[in-house]
Amino acid sequence: MKTFLILCTLLSAYWLPADETLENLEVQKIAYQEAPPLERLHMQLSEEVMAVGGKLWFQGTLQTAQPESKVLYVEILNSQQTVVQGIYSIKNGLFKGQLQLPDTLSGGWYQIRAYTQWMRNQGETSYWSHPLMIVNPYEDKLAVQQATQAKRSGEINFFPEGGNYVEDLPNRILVQLPVGIAKKVTSARLINLQDSLPLAEVRFQSGQSDLNITPETDKDYALEIYLSGGDTLLQALPKPQQQGVALQADFDQNGLQIEAHHLEKGKYALVLRTNDTFHFSENYRGPAFSYQFDEEELPAGIFEINVEDESGKILAQRMLYHEPQGEAITIALGKVKYHPREKVEATLSLPGTDNTIPLS
């Protein structure tokens, strides 16, 4: 009997910790599954509406609580498969690159996503992703794909610059036509719906046009689009907001020009940055603000331009990609005319130096 009791005591000593071990493993498994990801991506795109054949530029940062990953995977997917992909290096938590869009893609909604090898272990819910509209002007119709829940089939789209379309302020709107309509456009104009008077001619290129408009209170506007075959399409513009900020920004040969217009009085800030690096921040008051950055002041990258209120809330935002204009390499020939099979002499001048290199 004594031997039996000793045996039971020994068995219980091994059995009970086993139960506790299994329970602890289950708790750890649940905690791991519910834990926030150890790596997070923040990524900026040069455009959110792209034409086939173009280059999509991106840059971003990797935040990590562990030794950081060195490789980034970026993909563009339709509703069925990956159509474009690339592999890029991550250095000191920063990355940048570009994706070339094939000419053969169908127009519609796609999804761009990015992830590291470690994020693969945690599943697709930890990936960075964003919807992307791709336009193919060579298609007969726009095939809208289910990359997001939004379904836009064959409609005319309006994209206000800065995200806002505000009454009584100067606005610029990107108008995008379905390809089936774009191929038939002969001319177009902006009209006032109240009296049908024309306000401006609208020129479309590859199914897109920039529309500059200052909408007045209690007035409605529309595009009157004339199609081949004698048909006319009348498309009303969306109703403007009664409050907000209208933001416009452009690169030209002199640099970057930014303009912000307001209806409400208050204190605002114009913020310019690439990645997480601030290049400019200035507070101002008043109904309008403009600033110009010279070309030599601007580094390469995707510029994030924000108008913020006193609390730091973003009221309007614009993304632009900038690639500095490089100095040209000069090649000077020894003389204007050469005889057949005569040796050609020339010099090559490198930008930023006084040195020349002889060529022949």
Side-chain angles (χ1 to χ4, degrees):
M1 184 65 178
K2 184 176 181 181
T3 303
F4 176 74
L5 290 175
I6 294 174
L7 180 60
C8 288
T9 303
L10 290 174
L11 287 174
S12 64
Y14 284 97
W15 179 256
L16 291 176
D19 280 343
E20 294 177 2
T21 301
L22 290 174
E23 184 178 349
N24 290 338
L25 287 174
E26 186 65 25
V27 170
Q28 292 175 16
K29 177 182 177 182
I30 295 173
Y32 175 79
Q33 291 174 342
E34 295 180 352
L38 297 178
E39 290 188 340
R40 293 184 184 274
L41 288 172
H42 175 68
M43 189 160 161
Q44 297 172 330
L45 305 176
S46 59
E47 302 287 345
E48 296 183 358
V49 180
M50 292 286 299
V52 295
K55 289 182 180 179
L56 177 66
W57 299 84
F58 62 85
Q59 67 181 18
T61 59
L62 174 67
Q63 299 175 348
T64 178
Q66 61 174 12
E68 65 183 33
S69 298
K70 302 298 183 183
V71 178
L72 179 73
Y73 302 87
V74 183
E75 301 173 339
I76 296 178
L77 309 91
N78 60 19
S79 58
Q80 299 174 340
Q81 62 184 354
T82 299
V83 296
V84 183
Q85 58 185 346
I87 301 176
Y88 307 87
S89 63
I90 304 173
K91 296 181 179 179
N92 299 321
L94 303 176
F95 60 84
K96 62 181 178 179
Q98 64 184 43
L99 287 171
Q100 178 73 45
L101 301 185
D103 293 333
T104 54
L105 292 179
S106 298
W109 285 102
Y110 288 73
Q111 181 188 32
I112 178 171
R113 68 182 188 183
Y115 53 88
T116 64
Q117 186 65 41
W118 179 262
M119 295 169 74
R120 279 179 169 177
N121 298 331
Q122 295 187 309
E124 294 186 5
T125 56
S126 65
Y127 294 3
W128 181 93
S129 65
H130 197 278
L132 178 69
M133 168 63 82
I134 296 179
V135 180
N136 188 336
Y138 309 106
E139 285 184 322
D140 292 332
K141 64 179 181 178
L142 185 64
V144 178
Q145 313 211 18
Q146 294 296 317
T148 66
Q149 295 298 321
K151 188 175 183 180
R152 307 178 180 182
S153 178
E155 66 183 39
I156 296 177
N157 291 310
F158 296 91
F159 301 97
E161 184 171 339
N164 302 319
Y165 174 43
V166 189
E167 66 181 22
D168 296 324
L169 293 181
N171 299 263
R172 183 162 56 204
I173 303 174
L174 173 66
V175 184
Q176 189 177 74
L177 303 178
V179 178
I181 296 176
K183 293 177 65 175
K184 301 177 182 179
V185 173
T186 57
S187 62
R189 61 182 185 174
L190 175 68
I191 66 169
N192 183 340
L193 274 177
Q194 273 73 16
D195 51 22
S196 297
L197 290 177
L199 302 175
E201 295 294 322
V202 181
R203 299 184 181 276
F204 285 95
Q205 183 174 7
S206 299
Q208 299 187 80
S209 178
D210 283 331
L211 184 64
N212 294 294
I213 179 174
T214 303
E216 298 180 29
T217 306
D218 299 328
K219 287 190 177 182
D220 299 310
Y221 302 88
L223 285 178
E224 197 170 51
I225 304 173
Y226 299 94
L227 308 177
S228 57
D231 294 331
T232 302
L233 176 64
L234 190 65
Q235 175 66 52
L237 269 66
K239 285 285 187 181
Q241 305 162 216
Q242 294 182 345
Q243 297 178 347
V245 179
L247 174 65
Q248 297 181 21
D250 282 302
F251 286 110
D252 56 26
Q253 66 272 15
N254 297 319
L256 174 62
Q257 178 68 38
I258 303 174
E259 291 186 7
H261 298 268
H262 307 260
L263 285 175
E264 293 185 326
K265 294 182 179 179
K267 185 178 179 181
Y268 303 94
L270 179 69
V271 179
L272 174 69
R273 63 183 176 189
T274 56
N275 259 334
D276 288 335
T277 302
F278 284 91
H279 295 283
F280 177 82
S281 180
E282 182 167 327
N283 296 325
Y284 66 95
R285 296 179 182 269
F289 180 79
S290 63
Y291 199 91
Q292 181 165 338
F293 296 86
D294 294 334
E295 171 68 28
E296 57 269 18
E297 298 177 10
L298 302 174
I302 299 175
F303 279 76
E304 178 183 329
I305 305 162
N306 294 335
V307 175
E308 303 176 358
D309 64 13
E310 289 184 277
S311 66
K313 179 182 177 181
I314 296 176
L315 305 177
Q317 185 178 74
R318 180 84 162 98
M319 298 287 191
L320 287 172
Y321 178 76
H322 177 246
E323 187 172 13
Q325 300 176 358
E327 297 182 58
I329 296 176
T330 304
I331 298 179
L333 295 176
K335 58 183 182 179
V336 178
K337 293 183 179 181
Y338 287 88
H339 296 294
R341 299 186 180 182
E342 182 182 358
K343 185 177 181 180
V344 177
E345 302 286 348
T347 57
L348 183 147
S349 301
L350 298 176
T353 70
D354 295 329
N355 298 330
T356 59
I357 300 173
L359 301 174
S360 61

